[in-house]
């Protein structure tokens, strides 16, 4: 009987301590944390819009992206048609420093259709992001795909270009998404939370699936004590990742660099 009583006391004490350690956020803070601040990820470049490729030798080429060769969705080669000479060249990712491409109209249409058939989508993918005519920024990056292969160079879409000073986040074309639910054929509610990204901090680039978030939380944010106090791991959710990267950046940069 005493042992049972002690077990109950210990469980209550642990539960009370755990509750104390969790941070409670205001409605305004939770709204911010649930907002998706990353750019939308696209997989199919447009073939009829003038794009820009900048090679490592410093030369800049304007033309049409007529095709790509990919590995695990990441661009390994670009077939590029010069906008003036009509000459076609194939550039390996190892030759390219960065590229400014456009998303395929068909892919945009498909994503907009998905948006309207899935109410909420984890507060992700505003129609403005999906239909924007802005160029998409790709960066040469050396990475081990899914943390399993030897490192290779690819062109990867940077999806936080406005706040990538410390942590750069790249689109994972093979990322899965959480599913919403619907009743009687009505538009689905919820879902649409991206389950993996590629992330760079310092010289380290890794594939970050949701299942590895806790393991890498210290690596990503642990050098900012103020941030860790405000956002301890047990108080946050994976689908807040974009807001966490944004706030970490704002809290870590000198004020004159924000």
């Amino acid at each position: 009987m005493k042992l049972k009583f002690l077990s109950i006391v210990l469980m209550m004490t642990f539960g009370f301590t755990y509750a104390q350690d969790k941070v409670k956020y205001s409605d305004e803070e939770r709204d911010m944390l649930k907002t998706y601040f990353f750019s939308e990820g696209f997989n199919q470049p447009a073939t009829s819009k003038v794009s820009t490729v900048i090679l490592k030798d410093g030369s800049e080429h304007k033309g049409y992206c007529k095709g790509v060769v990919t590995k695990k969705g990441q661009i390994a080669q670009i077939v590029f048609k010069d906008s003036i000479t009509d000459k076609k060249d194939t550039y390996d990712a190892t030759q390219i420093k960065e590229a400014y491409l456009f998303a395929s109209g068909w892919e945009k249409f498909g994503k907009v259709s998905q948006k309207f058939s899935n109410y909420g989508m984890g507060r992700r993918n505003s129609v403005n992001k999906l239909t924007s005519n802005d160029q998409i920024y790709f960066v040469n990056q050396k990475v081990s795909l899914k943390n399993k292969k030897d490192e290779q160079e690819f062109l990867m879409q940077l999806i936080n270009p406005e706040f990538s000073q410390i942590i750069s986040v790249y689109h994972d074309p093979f990322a899965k998404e959480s599913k919403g639910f619907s009743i009687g054929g009505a538009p689905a509610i919820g879902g649409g939370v991206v389950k993996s990204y590629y992330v760079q901090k310092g010289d380290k680039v890794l594939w970050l699936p949701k299942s590895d978030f806790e393991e890498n939380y210290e690596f990503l944010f642990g050098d900012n004590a103020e941030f860790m106090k405000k956002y301890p791991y047990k108080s946050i959710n994976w689908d807040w990742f974009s807001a966490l990267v944004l706030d970490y950046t704002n809290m870590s940069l000198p004020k004159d660099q924000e």
Side-chain angles (χ1 to χ4, degrees):
M1 186 69 180
K2 287 184 178 180
L3 183 61
K4 185 176 181 180
F5 175 75
L6 285 172
S7 298
I8 293 172
V9 170
L10 286 171
M11 289 175 64
M12 291 177 65
T13 302
F14 175 79
F16 179 71
T17 303
Y18 180 80
Q20 278 189 317
D21 289 343
K22 289 196 72 173
V23 176
K24 291 185 178 180
Y25 303 106
S26 67
D27 290 342
E28 292 78 10
E29 287 174 321
R30 292 184 71 85
D31 283 342
M32 184 280 291
L33 289 165
K34 291 178 181 178
T35 301
Y36 191 78
F37 291 98
F38 294 151
S39 302
E40 174 60 19
F42 290 98
N43 302 327
Q44 296 295 325
T47 60
S48 59
K49 291 187 176 182
V50 177
S51 301
T52 303
V53 169
I54 300 173
L55 301 184
K56 290 181 179 179
D57 64 12
S59 60
E60 181 175 312
H61 303 265
K62 291 188 178 294
Y64 304 96
C65 180
K66 306 307 288 185
V68 294
V69 175
T70 63
K71 291 184 179 180
K72 297 292 184 183
Q74 303 294 356
I75 297 175
Q77 285 184 332
I78 288 181
V79 179
F80 206 68
K81 181 180 178 181
D82 191 277
S83 60
I84 298 175
T85 65
D86 284 342
K87 180 185 176 184
K88 280 187 179 181
D89 287 299
T90 299
Y91 298 118
D92 290 334
T94 55
Q95 298 174 266
I96 302 172
K97 178 183 178 182
E98 54 191 348
Y100 298 84
L101 309 178
F102 290 89
S104 158
W106 281 111
E107 186 175 11
K108 283 187 175 184
F109 175 78
K111 286 179 177 286
V112 170
S113 298
Q114 182 187 14
K115 166 71 177 177
F116 284 113
S117 65
N118 188 336
Y119 179 77
M121 287 186 67
R123 297 207 174 187
R124 170 177 154 249
N125 301 356
S126 71
V127 173
N128 286 340
K129 285 185 180 181
L130 292 174
T131 58
S132 169
N133 288 321
D134 292 343
Q135 290 177 317
I136 300 167
Y137 184 43
F138 287 81
V139 181
N140 176 288
Q141 190 57 263
K142 194 171 186 179
V143 64
S144 168
L145 295 177
K146 296 289 184 77
N147 300 334
K148 296 178 180 178
K149 307 288 185 179
D150 292 337
E151 287 190 344
Q152 292 180 270
E153 291 182 55
F154 297 96
L155 279 185
M156 303 176 70
Q157 182 190 345
L158 182 67
I159 57 175
N160 67 326
E162 295 180 350
F163 53 101
S164 60
Q165 296 92 329
I166 304 174
I167 297 175
S168 298
V169 183
Y170 299 94
H171 172 52
D172 177 7
F174 278 21
K176 296 180 180 179
E177 297 182 7
S178 62
K179 297 185 181 298
F181 66 93
S182 63
I183 300 174
I189 298 174
V193 175
V194 179
K195 292 186 176 181
S196 62
Y197 301 95
Y198 284 91
V199 178
Q200 177 186 17
K201 185 176 182 184
D203 295 329
K204 184 175 180 179
V205 184
L206 57 88
W207 178 60
L208 182 67
K210 177 181 177 180
S211 58
D212 291 352
F213 192 33
E214 181 175 8
E215 176 186 339
N216 288 286
Y217 198 74
E218 179 74 23
F219 161 68
L220 291 170
F221 306 119
D223 56 0
N224 188 314
E226 182 185 3
F227 178 92
M228 294 296 283
K229 182 178 180 181
K230 184 177 180 181
Y231 301 114
Y233 180 78
K234 64 180 65 176
S235 299
I236 59 92
N237 295 314
W238 163 259
D239 53 342
W240 299 353
F241 183 52
S242 69
L244 293 171
V245 173
L246 174 62
D247 210 20
Y248 167 83
T249 304
N250 290 336
M251 294 171 69
S252 300
L253 286 177
K255 295 302 180 183
D256 59 349
Q257 294 185 32
E258 290 183 5

